[in-house]
Amino acid sequence: MSETFRNRLLLLVALLLAAVYLFPLYWMYITALKTGSEMFRAPPSFWPDDPQWSIFPFVFQLKGMGRFLWNSVVIASGSVALIAVLGTGAAYVLARYRNVWIDVGLFLVLMLQVLPASLMITPIFVLFTLTGILDFPRTAVILAIAAKSMPFFIVLVRATFMSVPMELEEAALVDGNSRAGAFWSIVLPLARNGILVAAILIFMQAFGEFVYSKSLIQEIELQPSSVGLNAFMGPNTNEWNRIMAFASIYVTPILATFVLLQRRIVSGLTSGALK
């Protein structure tokens, strides 16, 4: 098998996998544009005969999506800010200092990553109720998301810090900088790309969070888009075009962010691969 044929075969496989992965997104957008009768046509059509473009502003106004999207942005931004402030320092310590206690700390961080949200929600709900944090529902969700996503952030940013040569810090210390000064003036600027990428991934994850938001936020005015989309569902639901329109408006900002920043995300994820 020649190298050219092998490359073309790999490209074909990659395109097929991409098509399989992206088809549900395509079907979501297409279903949103179909009429009620066309959605249940057999065999199904892959493009609507009469696209209903007006359904997007109609659903946006009918369901008050502006409020849901704003709550999603507030929760995601608050989670990213809290995780970035606390997680950056933790990742730096785990990257620079090596002893048995640091290894134990890293192991515990990784163990937290594998705990599912469905398992953590009950003790978190009880704790927030007893401490009064549940009186501030969005804050409670931000804290819960931070507890869940912090390990992921630490692991990614730790790899970025490990790719920054220690010699640069040692040179800064020789020049009279303190350890904190070397961190702020030397290490942090060099690691900002990896930190930014980790923050973007956390934001996208928090923007679509459902379990904590559904369990901790009871007021409709404070619920994010993921919970608002769930409110569409019911035992006799048949307005799938409206559901898909809501989902399309909800998902499109995340997709656009990923497409615009894909090169930076890939470079940030691989920044700690080689030292």
PDB file of all heavy atoms in Angstrom, residues 12-43:
ATOM      1  N   LEU A  12     -10.579   9.652   3.813  1.00  0.00           N
ATOM      2  CA  LEU A  12     -11.944   9.197   3.570  1.00  0.00           C
ATOM      3  C   LEU A  12     -12.600   8.724   4.870  1.00  0.00           C
ATOM      4  O   LEU A  12     -13.769   9.049   5.147  1.00  0.00           O
ATOM      5  CB  LEU A  12     -11.931   8.068   2.539  1.00  0.00           C
ATOM      6  CG  LEU A  12     -13.296   7.431   2.209  1.00  0.00           C
ATOM      7  CD1 LEU A  12     -14.234   8.483   1.636  1.00  0.00           C
ATOM      8  CD2 LEU A  12     -13.119   6.274   1.248  1.00  0.00           C
ATOM      9  N   VAL A  13     -11.854   7.982   5.663  1.00  0.00           N
ATOM     10  CA  VAL A  13     -12.387   7.517   6.941  1.00  0.00           C
ATOM     11  C   VAL A  13     -12.704   8.699   7.857  1.00  0.00           C
ATOM     12  O   VAL A  13     -13.741   8.725   8.529  1.00  0.00           O
ATOM     13  CB  VAL A  13     -11.383   6.555   7.617  1.00  0.00           C
ATOM     14  CG1 VAL A  13     -11.845   6.218   9.040  1.00  0.00           C
ATOM     15  CG2 VAL A  13     -11.228   5.290   6.797  1.00  0.00           C
ATOM     16  N   ALA A  14     -11.805   9.692   7.865  1.00  0.00           N
ATOM     17  CA  ALA A  14     -12.034  10.878   8.701  1.00  0.00           C
ATOM     18  C   ALA A  14     -13.283  11.631   8.252  1.00  0.00           C
ATOM     19  O   ALA A  14     -14.075  12.093   9.090  1.00  0.00           O
ATOM     20  CB  ALA A  14     -10.811  11.792   8.651  1.00  0.00           C
ATOM     21  N   LEU A  15     -13.480  11.745   6.944  1.00  0.00           N
ATOM     22  CA  LEU A  15     -14.665  12.435   6.429  1.00  0.00           C
ATOM     23  C   LEU A  15     -15.942  11.675   6.772  1.00  0.00           C
ATOM     24  O   LEU A  15     -16.971  12.283   7.116  1.00  0.00           O
ATOM     25  CB  LEU A  15     -14.547  12.620   4.918  1.00  0.00           C
ATOM     26  CG  LEU A  15     -13.468  13.604   4.445  1.00  0.00           C
ATOM     27  CD1 LEU A  15     -13.393  13.605   2.924  1.00  0.00           C
ATOM     28  CD2 LEU A  15     -13.755  15.007   4.961  1.00  0.00           C
ATOM     29  N   LEU A  16     -15.882  10.358   6.694  1.00  0.00           N
ATOM     30  CA  LEU A  16     -17.062   9.555   7.045  1.00  0.00           C
ATOM     31  C   LEU A  16     -17.403   9.691   8.527  1.00  0.00           C
ATOM     32  O   LEU A  16     -18.576   9.842   8.898  1.00  0.00           O
ATOM     33  CB  LEU A  16     -16.806   8.086   6.697  1.00  0.00           C
ATOM     34  CG  LEU A  16     -16.770   7.740   5.201  1.00  0.00           C
ATOM     35  CD1 LEU A  16     -16.401   6.271   5.007  1.00  0.00           C
ATOM     36  CD2 LEU A  16     -18.098   8.048   4.535  1.00  0.00           C
ATOM     37  N   LEU A  17     -16.379   9.654   9.379  1.00  0.00           N
ATOM     38  CA  LEU A  17     -16.619   9.820  10.809  1.00  0.00           C
ATOM     39  C   LEU A  17     -17.160  11.213  11.117  1.00  0.00           C
ATOM     40  O   LEU A  17     -18.052  11.378  11.966  1.00  0.00           O
ATOM     41  CB  LEU A  17     -15.320   9.570  11.583  1.00  0.00           C
ATOM     42  CG  LEU A  17     -14.805   8.128  11.587  1.00  0.00           C
ATOM     43  CD1 LEU A  17     -13.468   8.050  12.309  1.00  0.00           C
ATOM     44  CD2 LEU A  17     -15.815   7.191  12.235  1.00  0.00           C
ATOM     45  N   ALA A  18     -16.626  12.237  10.424  1.00  0.00           N
ATOM     46  CA  ALA A  18     -17.122  13.600  10.619  1.00  0.00           C
ATOM     47  C   ALA A  18     -18.578  13.717  10.184  1.00  0.00           C
ATOM     48  O   ALA A  18     -19.387  14.386  10.850  1.00  0.00           O
ATOM     49  CB  ALA A  18     -16.250  14.591   9.849  1.00  0.00           C
ATOM     50  N   ALA A  19     -18.929  13.048   9.069  1.00  0.00           N
ATOM     51  CA  ALA A  19     -20.309  13.094   8.591  1.00  0.00           C
ATOM     52  C   ALA A  19     -21.259  12.436   9.586  1.00  0.00           C
ATOM     53  O   ALA A  19     -22.351  12.942   9.866  1.00  0.00           O
ATOM     54  CB  ALA A  19     -20.408  12.410   7.228  1.00  0.00           C
ATOM     55  N   VAL A  20     -20.838  11.305  10.151  1.00  0.00           N
ATOM     56  CA  VAL A  20     -21.661  10.618  11.142  1.00  0.00           C
ATOM     57  C   VAL A  20     -21.835  11.496  12.385  1.00  0.00           C
ATOM     58  O   VAL A  20     -22.924  11.575  12.963  1.00  0.00           O
ATOM     59  CB  VAL A  20     -21.031   9.257  11.512  1.00  0.00           C
ATOM     60  CG1 VAL A  20     -21.759   8.635  12.697  1.00  0.00           C
ATOM     61  CG2 VAL A  20     -21.065   8.324  10.310  1.00  0.00           C
ATOM     62  N   TYR A  21     -20.766  12.156  12.789  1.00  0.00           N
ATOM     63  CA  TYR A  21     -20.811  12.985  13.986  1.00  0.00           C
ATOM     64  C   TYR A  21     -21.651  14.238  13.774  1.00  0.00           C
ATOM     65  O   TYR A  21     -22.385  14.673  14.685  1.00  0.00           O
ATOM     66  CB  TYR A  21     -19.396  13.371  14.393  1.00  0.00           C
ATOM     67  CG  TYR A  21     -19.318  14.209  15.643  1.00  0.00           C
ATOM     68  CD1 TYR A  21     -19.440  13.634  16.904  1.00  0.00           C
ATOM     69  CD2 TYR A  21     -19.130  15.588  15.582  1.00  0.00           C
ATOM     70  CE1 TYR A  21     -19.375  14.395  18.062  1.00  0.00           C
ATOM     71  CE2 TYR A  21     -19.070  16.365  16.725  1.00  0.00           C
ATOM     72  CZ  TYR A  21     -19.190  15.758  17.953  1.00  0.00           C
ATOM     73  OH  TYR A  21     -19.133  16.521  19.089  1.00  0.00           O
ATOM     74  N   LEU A  22     -21.572  14.835  12.587  1.00  0.00           N
ATOM     75  CA  LEU A  22     -22.247  16.110  12.332  1.00  0.00           C
ATOM     76  C   LEU A  22     -23.682  15.941  11.840  1.00  0.00           C
ATOM     77  O   LEU A  22     -24.443  16.911  11.835  1.00  0.00           O
ATOM     78  CB  LEU A  22     -21.452  16.917  11.288  1.00  0.00           C
ATOM     79  CG  LEU A  22     -20.073  17.394  11.731  1.00  0.00           C
ATOM     80  CD1 LEU A  22     -19.355  18.082  10.582  1.00  0.00           C
ATOM     81  CD2 LEU A  22     -20.177  18.344  12.920  1.00  0.00           C
ATOM     82  N   PHE A  23     -24.063  14.732  11.430  1.00  0.00           N
ATOM     83  CA  PHE A  23     -25.414  14.547  10.895  1.00  0.00           C
ATOM     84  C   PHE A  23     -26.508  14.924  11.899  1.00  0.00           C
ATOM     85  O   PHE A  23     -27.504  15.559  11.512  1.00  0.00           O
ATOM     86  CB  PHE A  23     -25.611  13.110  10.410  1.00  0.00           C
ATOM     87  CG  PHE A  23     -26.967  12.860   9.826  1.00  0.00           C
ATOM     88  CD1 PHE A  23     -27.260  13.284   8.535  1.00  0.00           C
ATOM     89  CD2 PHE A  23     -27.963  12.232  10.560  1.00  0.00           C
ATOM     90  CE1 PHE A  23     -28.514  13.078   7.982  1.00  0.00           C
ATOM     91  CE2 PHE A  23     -29.226  12.017  10.024  1.00  0.00           C
ATOM     92  CZ  PHE A  23     -29.500  12.438   8.732  1.00  0.00           C
ATOM     93  N   PRO A  24     -26.397  14.552  13.195  1.00  0.00           N
ATOM     94  CA  PRO A  24     -27.449  14.994  14.141  1.00  0.00           C
ATOM     95  C   PRO A  24     -27.595  16.504  14.214  1.00  0.00           C
ATOM     96  O   PRO A  24     -28.720  17.007  14.361  1.00  0.00           O
ATOM     97  CB  PRO A  24     -26.960  14.415  15.480  1.00  0.00           C
ATOM     98  CG  PRO A  24     -26.127  13.242  15.100  1.00  0.00           C
ATOM     99  CD  PRO A  24     -25.436  13.643  13.829  1.00  0.00           C
ATOM    100  N   LEU A  25     -26.478  17.247  14.101  1.00  0.00           N
ATOM    101  CA  LEU A  25     -26.584  18.705  14.088  1.00  0.00           C
ATOM    102  C   LEU A  25     -27.329  19.187  12.848  1.00  0.00           C
ATOM    103  O   LEU A  25     -28.193  20.068  12.917  1.00  0.00           O
ATOM    104  CB  LEU A  25     -25.185  19.328  14.135  1.00  0.00           C
ATOM    105  CG  LEU A  25     -24.432  19.225  15.465  1.00  0.00           C
ATOM    106  CD1 LEU A  25     -23.021  19.761  15.315  1.00  0.00           C
ATOM    107  CD2 LEU A  25     -25.175  19.979  16.555  1.00  0.00           C
ATOM    108  N   TYR A  26     -26.988  18.601  11.702  1.00  0.00           N
ATOM    109  CA  TYR A  26     -27.676  18.953  10.455  1.00  0.00           C
ATOM    110  C   TYR A  26     -29.171  18.660  10.582  1.00  0.00           C
ATOM    111  O   TYR A  26     -30.014  19.484  10.208  1.00  0.00           O
ATOM    112  CB  TYR A  26     -27.064  18.173   9.306  1.00  0.00           C
ATOM    113  CG  TYR A  26     -27.876  18.206   8.036  1.00  0.00           C
ATOM    114  CD1 TYR A  26     -27.843  19.318   7.194  1.00  0.00           C
ATOM    115  CD2 TYR A  26     -28.696  17.131   7.671  1.00  0.00           C
ATOM    116  CE1 TYR A  26     -28.600  19.357   6.033  1.00  0.00           C
ATOM    117  CE2 TYR A  26     -29.449  17.166   6.520  1.00  0.00           C
ATOM    118  CZ  TYR A  26     -29.405  18.283   5.704  1.00  0.00           C
ATOM    119  OH  TYR A  26     -30.156  18.323   4.558  1.00  0.00           O
ATOM    120  N   TRP A  27     -29.501  17.506  11.148  1.00  0.00           N
ATOM    121  CA  TRP A  27     -30.913  17.129  11.266  1.00  0.00           C
ATOM    122  C   TRP A  27     -31.650  18.043  12.241  1.00  0.00           C
ATOM    123  O   TRP A  27     -32.837  18.322  12.066  1.00  0.00           O
ATOM    124  CB  TRP A  27     -31.024  15.679  11.708  1.00  0.00           C
ATOM    125  CG  TRP A  27     -32.362  15.080  11.432  1.00  0.00           C
ATOM    126  CD1 TRP A  27     -33.326  14.753  12.335  1.00  0.00           C
ATOM    127  CD2 TRP A  27     -32.895  14.757  10.144  1.00  0.00           C
ATOM    128  NE1 TRP A  27     -34.435  14.246  11.698  1.00  0.00           N
ATOM    129  CE2 TRP A  27     -34.199  14.240  10.361  1.00  0.00           C
ATOM    130  CE3 TRP A  27     -32.411  14.864   8.843  1.00  0.00           C
ATOM    131  CZ2 TRP A  27     -35.005  13.816   9.303  1.00  0.00           C
ATOM    132  CZ3 TRP A  27     -33.207  14.453   7.803  1.00  0.00           C
ATOM    133  CH2 TRP A  27     -34.499  13.939   8.033  1.00  0.00           C
ATOM    134  N   MET A  28     -30.965  18.525  13.253  1.00  0.00           N
ATOM    135  CA  MET A  28     -31.570  19.466  14.192  1.00  0.00           C
ATOM    136  C   MET A  28     -31.965  20.756  13.476  1.00  0.00           C
ATOM    137  O   MET A  28     -33.097  21.238  13.619  1.00  0.00           O
ATOM    138  CB  MET A  28     -30.584  19.778  15.329  1.00  0.00           C
ATOM    139  CG  MET A  28     -31.068  20.834  16.309  1.00  0.00           C
ATOM    140  SD  MET A  28     -29.798  21.266  17.520  1.00  0.00           S
ATOM    141  CE  MET A  28     -28.608  22.108  16.457  1.00  0.00           C
ATOM    142  N   TYR A  29     -31.045  21.312  12.697  1.00  0.00           N
ATOM    143  CA  TYR A  29     -31.337  22.558  11.984  1.00  0.00           C
ATOM    144  C   TYR A  29     -32.430  22.352  10.939  1.00  0.00           C
ATOM    145  O   TYR A  29     -33.325  23.206  10.772  1.00  0.00           O
ATOM    146  CB  TYR A  29     -30.076  23.090  11.313  1.00  0.00           C
ATOM    147  CG  TYR A  29     -29.084  23.706  12.269  1.00  0.00           C
ATOM    148  CD1 TYR A  29     -27.879  23.083  12.550  1.00  0.00           C
ATOM    149  CD2 TYR A  29     -29.347  24.918  12.899  1.00  0.00           C
ATOM    150  CE1 TYR A  29     -26.962  23.655  13.429  1.00  0.00           C
ATOM    151  CE2 TYR A  29     -28.446  25.492  13.778  1.00  0.00           C
ATOM    152  CZ  TYR A  29     -27.254  24.846  14.037  1.00  0.00           C
ATOM    153  OH  TYR A  29     -26.356  25.408  14.911  1.00  0.00           O
ATOM    154  N   ILE A  30     -32.385  21.228  10.235  1.00  0.00           N
ATOM    155  CA  ILE A  30     -33.370  20.981   9.188  1.00  0.00           C
ATOM    156  C   ILE A  30     -34.764  20.759   9.781  1.00  0.00           C
ATOM    157  O   ILE A  30     -35.768  21.267   9.265  1.00  0.00           O
ATOM    158  CB  ILE A  30     -32.945  19.760   8.340  1.00  0.00           C
ATOM    159  CG1 ILE A  30     -31.685  20.099   7.539  1.00  0.00           C
ATOM    160  CG2 ILE A  30     -34.064  19.347   7.399  1.00  0.00           C
ATOM    161  CD1 ILE A  30     -31.824  21.317   6.656  1.00  0.00           C
ATOM    162  N   THR A  31     -34.843  20.043  10.876  1.00  0.00           N
ATOM    163  CA  THR A  31     -36.135  19.804  11.513  1.00  0.00           C
ATOM    164  C   THR A  31     -36.749  21.104  12.011  1.00  0.00           C
ATOM    165  O   THR A  31     -37.973  21.274  11.978  1.00  0.00           O
ATOM    166  CB  THR A  31     -35.971  18.821  12.686  1.00  0.00           C
ATOM    167  OG1 THR A  31     -35.381  17.609  12.208  1.00  0.00           O
ATOM    168  CG2 THR A  31     -37.308  18.504  13.328  1.00  0.00           C
ATOM    169  N   ALA A  32     -35.912  22.018  12.463  1.00  0.00           N
ATOM    170  CA  ALA A  32     -36.425  23.307  12.923  1.00  0.00           C
ATOM    171  C   ALA A  32     -37.105  24.078  11.797  1.00  0.00           C
ATOM    172  O   ALA A  32     -38.031  24.864  12.047  1.00  0.00           O
ATOM    173  CB  ALA A  32     -35.290  24.137  13.508  1.00  0.00           C
ATOM    174  N   LEU A  33     -36.679  23.854  10.575  1.00  0.00           N
ATOM    175  CA  LEU A  33     -37.224  24.591   9.433  1.00  0.00           C
ATOM    176  C   LEU A  33     -38.436  23.919   8.794  1.00  0.00           C
ATOM    177  O   LEU A  33     -39.052  24.481   7.894  1.00  0.00           O
ATOM    178  CB  LEU A  33     -36.134  24.773   8.360  1.00  0.00           C
ATOM    179  CG  LEU A  33     -34.921  25.610   8.767  1.00  0.00           C
ATOM    180  CD1 LEU A  33     -33.869  25.584   7.667  1.00  0.00           C
ATOM    181  CD2 LEU A  33     -35.335  27.042   9.063  1.00  0.00           C
ATOM    182  N   LYS A  34     -38.785  22.723   9.240  1.00  0.00           N
ATOM    183  CA  LYS A  34     -39.888  21.990   8.627  1.00  0.00           C
ATOM    184  C   LYS A  34     -41.229  22.368   9.258  1.00  0.00           C
ATOM    185  O   LYS A  34     -41.289  22.810  10.401  1.00  0.00           O
ATOM    186  CB  LYS A  34     -39.662  20.476   8.787  1.00  0.00           C
ATOM    187  CG  LYS A  34     -38.501  19.931   7.979  1.00  0.00           C
ATOM    188  CD  LYS A  34     -38.369  18.421   8.161  1.00  0.00           C
ATOM    189  CE  LYS A  34     -37.233  17.866   7.321  1.00  0.00           C
ATOM    190  NZ  LYS A  34     -37.090  16.396   7.479  1.00  0.00           N
ATOM    191  N   THR A  35     -42.293  22.145   8.495  1.00  0.00           N
ATOM    192  CA  THR A  35     -43.646  22.315   9.013  1.00  0.00           C
ATOM    193  C   THR A  35     -44.036  21.080   9.828  1.00  0.00           C
ATOM    194  O   THR A  35     -43.334  20.066   9.815  1.00  0.00           O
ATOM    195  CB  THR A  35     -44.639  22.518   7.872  1.00  0.00           C
ATOM    196  OG1 THR A  35     -44.608  21.358   7.018  1.00  0.00           O
ATOM    197  CG2 THR A  35     -44.277  23.749   7.053  1.00  0.00           C
ATOM    198  N   GLY A  36     -45.173  21.166  10.520  1.00  0.00           N
ATOM    199  CA  GLY A  36     -45.599  20.065  11.361  1.00  0.00           C
ATOM    200  C   GLY A  36     -45.821  18.785  10.582  1.00  0.00           C
ATOM    201  O   GLY A  36     -45.434  17.692  11.026  1.00  0.00           O
ATOM    202  N   SER A  37     -46.461  18.874   9.412  1.00  0.00           N
ATOM    203  CA  SER A  37     -46.732  17.668   8.618  1.00  0.00           C
ATOM    204  C   SER A  37     -45.475  17.119   7.974  1.00  0.00           C
ATOM    205  O   SER A  37     -45.313  15.905   7.843  1.00  0.00           O
ATOM    206  CB  SER A  37     -47.774  17.984   7.547  1.00  0.00           C
ATOM    207  OG  SER A  37     -47.307  19.026   6.690  1.00  0.00           O
ATOM    208  N   GLU A  38     -44.566  17.997   7.577  1.00  0.00           N
ATOM    209  CA  GLU A  38     -43.358  17.550   6.897  1.00  0.00           C
ATOM    210  C   GLU A  38     -42.412  16.815   7.840  1.00  0.00           C
ATOM    211  O   GLU A  38     -41.635  15.961   7.407  1.00  0.00           O
ATOM    212  CB  GLU A  38     -42.640  18.754   6.274  1.00  0.00           C
ATOM    213  CG  GLU A  38     -41.557  18.377   5.282  1.00  0.00           C
ATOM    214  CD  GLU A  38     -40.971  19.578   4.578  1.00  0.00           C
ATOM    215  OE1 GLU A  38     -41.358  20.717   4.926  1.00  0.00           O
ATOM    216  OE2 GLU A  38     -40.136  19.383   3.686  1.00  0.00           O
ATOM    217  N   MET A  39     -42.482  17.114   9.140  1.00  0.00           N
ATOM    218  CA  MET A  39     -41.606  16.437  10.091  1.00  0.00           C
ATOM    219  C   MET A  39     -41.882  14.943  10.149  1.00  0.00           C
ATOM    220  O   MET A  39     -40.972  14.144  10.378  1.00  0.00           O
ATOM    221  CB  MET A  39     -41.792  17.042  11.495  1.00  0.00           C
ATOM    222  CG  MET A  39     -41.160  18.387  11.701  1.00  0.00           C
ATOM    223  SD  MET A  39     -41.242  18.843  13.438  1.00  0.00           S
ATOM    224  CE  MET A  39     -43.017  18.846  13.734  1.00  0.00           C
ATOM    225  N   PHE A  40     -43.164  14.550   9.933  1.00  0.00           N
ATOM    226  CA  PHE A  40     -43.552  13.150  10.082  1.00  0.00           C
ATOM    227  C   PHE A  40     -43.743  12.466   8.732  1.00  0.00           C
ATOM    228  O   PHE A  40     -44.354  11.398   8.660  1.00  0.00           O
ATOM    229  CB  PHE A  40     -44.837  13.059  10.909  1.00  0.00           C
ATOM    230  CG  PHE A  40     -44.701  13.648  12.288  1.00  0.00           C
ATOM    231  CD1 PHE A  40     -45.179  14.919  12.565  1.00  0.00           C
ATOM    232  CD2 PHE A  40     -44.079  12.941  13.303  1.00  0.00           C
ATOM    233  CE1 PHE A  40     -45.057  15.471  13.831  1.00  0.00           C
ATOM    234  CE2 PHE A  40     -43.954  13.486  14.570  1.00  0.00           C
ATOM    235  CZ  PHE A  40     -44.433  14.745  14.840  1.00  0.00           C
ATOM    236  N   ARG A  41     -43.218  13.080   7.682  1.00  0.00           N
ATOM    237  CA  ARG A  41     -43.336  12.481   6.358  1.00  0.00           C
ATOM    238  C   ARG A  41     -42.470  11.233   6.272  1.00  0.00           C
ATOM    239  O   ARG A  41     -41.374  11.173   6.809  1.00  0.00           O
ATOM    240  CB  ARG A  41     -42.924  13.488   5.293  1.00  0.00           C
ATOM    241  CG  ARG A  41     -42.954  12.927   3.872  1.00  0.00           C
ATOM    242  CD  ARG A  41     -42.321  13.900   2.897  1.00  0.00           C
ATOM    243  NE  ARG A  41     -43.010  15.190   2.886  1.00  0.00           N
ATOM    244  CZ  ARG A  41     -42.582  16.236   2.190  1.00  0.00           C
ATOM    245  NH1 ARG A  41     -41.437  16.155   1.500  1.00  0.00           N
ATOM    246  NH2 ARG A  41     -43.266  17.374   2.228  1.00  0.00           N
ATOM    247  N   ALA A  42     -42.964  10.221   5.570  1.00  0.00           N
ATOM    248  CA  ALA A  42     -42.207   8.998   5.329  1.00  0.00           C
ATOM    249  C   ALA A  42     -42.199   8.716   3.816  1.00  0.00           C
ATOM    250  O   ALA A  42     -43.269   8.627   3.204  1.00  0.00           O
ATOM    251  CB  ALA A  42     -42.834   7.831   6.081  1.00  0.00           C
ATOM    252  N   PRO A  43     -41.003   8.614   3.236  1.00  0.00           N
ATOM    253  CA  PRO A  43     -39.678   8.761   3.846  1.00  0.00           C
ATOM    254  C   PRO A  43     -39.382  10.227   4.151  1.00  0.00           C
ATOM    255  O   PRO A  43     -39.965  11.119   3.525  1.00  0.00           O
ATOM    256  CB  PRO A  43     -38.736   8.224   2.766  1.00  0.00           C
ATOM    257  CG  PRO A  43     -39.458   8.492   1.484  1.00  0.00           C
ATOM    258  CD  PRO A  43     -40.921   8.290   1.794  1.00  0.00           C
TER     259      PRO A  43
END
